[in-house]
Amino acid sequence: MERTLVKDTLNKVGKTVTVKGWVNTKRDHSKIVFIDLRDRTGLVQIVGTGDLLSSLKPEDVIAIEGLVKVRPEKLVNPHLETGTVEIEALKMTVLSPSSELPIDLGKETLEVELPTLLDHRSLSFRHPKIQAIFKLQAVVIDAFRKAMVAKDFLEFQAPAIINAVPEGGAEVFKVKYFDKEAYLSQSPQLYKSLLTTAFERVFSVNQMFRAEPSTTSRHLTEATSLDAEFNFLESWEDVLDMEEYVVRFIFKEVEERCQKELALFEATIPLMSNKFPILKLREAQEIIFKRTGRDCREEKDLAPEDEREICAWAKEEKGSDLIFVSHFLTKKKPFYVYPDPADPTYCLSVDLLCRGVEWSSGGQRLNDYDTILKNVKEWGLQEEDVALYLQAFKYGSPQLGGFALGAERITMYILGLKNVREASMFPRDMERIDIHLSAQ
Ligand code: ATP
Ligand code: MG
């Protein structure tokens, strides 16, 4: 019989169907057995005799032929999408048996510590709440793509192997490249910028690699970057407007398509005011000083506690979980940043912060060939290391800018996860590449 998906059983009351999936949980009352069967669309209750179902174990893969029945009102399960029906099993086939489980997948929340969860990654993916994280993340990435395509951006594939590290080398992985050395790309920045000189508007969804020598809860060594870059800017604020449009677009799609996933985490979309507030770095630091007495007014960047504080300010004073912070120190940024003509000590770069943490960086980039070349030398870089970049800007290149959002950070802070590793299917960090490295 043709397979019926779990979610479609709601429309098959009174019919005999075949459902296929995994035994999510089993409640055995000897004569009568209840199974929650899981497929990619959800869970449905199967009820059958002990003879038919009692041998089953969690995660056995089965096919059930049975009759879809409406549940009596007092037995309706409001937590289940299919909670108004159940399937009375007539026939059961084991398609693939499971070994005994090392972790209990039957609880509403996986009650294991993060390292244990990651040690059993292939299994933890089967838990509905873990699946929700990645369903929401897929919507975030899909929405990013849709938002960009709607604005006529071209998707490109960023290279992972690069020849040099013109953005600063401390956090880069060196790889052996035949008899030479190469690096893993920290960001597609230079590629996306140079591509604007041919395609005007480009975006990419790509892996970036950072040898972050720390074990914070928001850094991975391999992360997913949502990059956009475009030119013919009238003003650097065009970059902010484009980014705000993209973020609002993503939130709208998540709100429309991820109600179930948000509910599982009791999560809500970040609060947005009419326009995302914006502060210069020095203004933000002044506010932080006034609010906390902590003097960070000379610092080149916001420390994690500063990011939390300025987000708290934005929420209290502007009714926004999101805030742009701009005008970082030109000399502390890469060679391509655009100094503010009003005060070149600071540049037209901007971070977007949300719920206490940085979600993205962006800004206007230099487009004048001579200035770029001068900076390359001043920043102590080799011209040949940025040869393709220079080539692009030598032959006509209008004002450009863009931004990069971290997909795992967005997922983490929408759902209120404690650790960014939960928002990466296969997180890599100093201690783990799939398995814990010290276990090797
Ligand atoms: P942070 O200051 O938080 O370490 P960054 O300024 O080094 O971030 P960018 O180079 O600006 O990061 O990267 C753009 C975005 O990519 C960040 O705003 C963040 O959302 C994400 N991101 C950067 N590094 C990581 C990482 N190691 N793990 C996960 N996401 C990251
Ligand atoms: Mg940044």
Side-chain angles (χ1 to χ4, degrees), residues 208 210 212 218-220 223 358-361 404-406 409:
M208 58 174 183
R210 308 270 175 114
E212 309 267 11
R218 60 208 167 91
H219 289 99
L220 298 158
E358 180 190 315
W359 279 28
S360 91
S361 283
L405 289 148
R409 290 250 179 112

Side-chain angles (χ1 to χ4, degrees), residues 396-407:
S397 49
Q399 281 71 14
L400 76 157
F403 52 88
L405 289 148

Side-chain angles (χ1 to χ4, degrees), residues 210 301 307 328 333 350-352 358-362 404 409:
R210 308 270 175 114
D301 206 346
E307 292 184 342
F328 292 88
K333 290 281 175 184
V350 62
D351 281 4
L352 179 65
E358 180 190 315
W359 279 28
S360 91
S361 283
R409 290 250 179 112

Side-chain angles (χ1 to χ4, degrees), residues 290 313 326 334 434:
K290 285 213 180 91
W313 174 86
S326 69
D434 288 348

Side-chain angles (χ1 to χ4, degrees), residues 236 280 326-330 337-349 364 366:
W236 78 284
K280 292 181 177 166
S326 69
H327 289 78
F328 292 88
L329 286 161
T330 306
V337 296
Y338 201 103
D340 186 353
D343 180 358
T345 311
Y346 299 97
C347 60
L348 300 179
S349 63
Q364 184 170 351
L366 289 172

